[in-house]
């Protein structure tokens, strides 16, 4: 749509201000007014923005109207990515802060919550194939040296789990689909100078 959406906050405690903002053609528009709103993702058709707020997911139209709560409960939901057809969102769900994540989907207007992955590791960094038929993600599994990150794919309905990489001692991360397959980084997936 030519717009960029971002989260912004200032101040702290009761004086905190912020929310989601959209900028297009040099014009700034505030979409939400909760300073905890973060991780916005535009639907490819530009009609919906999914975002995280206080451990739950929400959606809103690009003009700030039609805000809907997509998830609720004690779990921590984050990293929403809207499907190419704009109908649902894939996201990470954790039982508590610092716990491993499983991937879930939910309808972009709420409802239809569905677990894609469960249990075997920390599943994160999901991305849709352009045609929406597959989701690539990173799975961190426990190991002798603190774990290993490999790439997996799964269908949006939850079937067809496939391991794409198997590299001991080196991590794959930041996967993104492109016309020829999956582009990703390889190295140490930790912040700082050791990562590459």
């Amino acid at each position: 749509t030519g717009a960029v959406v971002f989260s912004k906050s200032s101040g702290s405690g009761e004086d905190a201000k912020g929310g989601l903002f959209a900028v297009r053609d040099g014009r700034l528009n505030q979409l939400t007014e909760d300073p905890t709103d973060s991780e916005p993702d535009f639907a490819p058709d530009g009609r919906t923005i999914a975002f995280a707020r206080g451990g739950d997911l929400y959606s809103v139209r690009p003009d700030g109207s039609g805000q809907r709560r997509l998830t609720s409960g004690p779990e921590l939901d984050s990293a929403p990515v809207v499907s190419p057809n704009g109908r649902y969102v894939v996201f990470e769900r954790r039982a508590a802060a610092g716990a491993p994540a499983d991937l879930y989907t939910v309808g972009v207007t709420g409802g239809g919550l569905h677990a894609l992955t469960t249990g075997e590791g920390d599943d994160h960094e999901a991305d849709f194939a352009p045609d929406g038929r597959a989701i690539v993600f990173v799975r961190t599994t426990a190991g002798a040296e603190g774990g290993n990150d490999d790439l997996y794919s799964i269908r949006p309905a939850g079937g067809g789990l496939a391991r794409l990489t198997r590299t001991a001692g080196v991590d794959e991360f930041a996967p993104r689909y492109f016309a020829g397959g999956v582009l990703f980084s390889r190295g140490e997936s930790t912040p700082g100078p050791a990562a590459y």
Side-chain angles (χ1 to χ4, degrees):
T1 64
V4 175
V5 176
F6 61 95
S7 59
K8 176 181 169 182
S9 64
S10 62
S12 62
E14 292 180 22
D15 295 328
K17 294 180 181 181
L20 295 183
F21 293 79
V23 63
R24 181 177 182 180
D25 299 327
R27 295 180 56 181
L28 185 65
N29 183 27
Q30 187 166 0
L31 306 179
T32 68
E33 295 183 1
D34 190 318
T36 65
D37 293 349
S38 62
E39 302 179 311
D41 187 65
F42 245 120
D45 64 8
R47 294 182 180 177
T48 306
I49 301 163
F51 63 96
R53 173 189 290 164
D56 294 320
L57 299 184
Y58 291 76
S59 67
V60 67
R61 291 186 194 110
D63 64 1
S65 67
Q67 189 174 135
R68 294 177 185 248
R69 187 178 203 152
L70 306 182
T71 65
S72 62
E75 303 87 0
L76 300 176
D77 299 334
S78 63
V81 179
V82 182
S83 65
N85 66 10
R87 293 184 184 156
Y88 55 95
V89 177
V90 65
F91 65 96
E92 299 170 16
R93 174 168 273 189
R94 290 175 170 76
D102 290 319
L103 297 180
Y104 280 73
T105 59
V106 67
V108 78
T109 59
L113 184 68
H114 178 74
L116 293 181
T117 65
T118 56
E120 295 182 30
D122 181 15
D123 299 334
H124 53 281
E125 297 185 49
D127 186 52
F128 280 98
D131 63 7
R133 294 175 145 179
I135 297 167
V136 66
F137 64 96
V138 176
R139 174 171 283 172
T140 303
T141 54
E145 296 181 17
N148 196 57
D149 293 346
D150 283 304
L151 302 183
Y152 287 74
S153 69
I154 195 166
R155 288 192 295 269
L161 180 67
R163 187 172 186 167
L164 304 179
T165 64
R166 187 181 302 270
T167 52
V170 66
D171 295 324
E172 284 83 25
F173 53 99
R176 296 292 176 261
Y177 279 99
F178 74 108
V182 177
L183 176 70
F184 60 94
S185 294
R186 177 177 278 169
E188 185 179 329
S189 64
T190 57
Y196 56 93

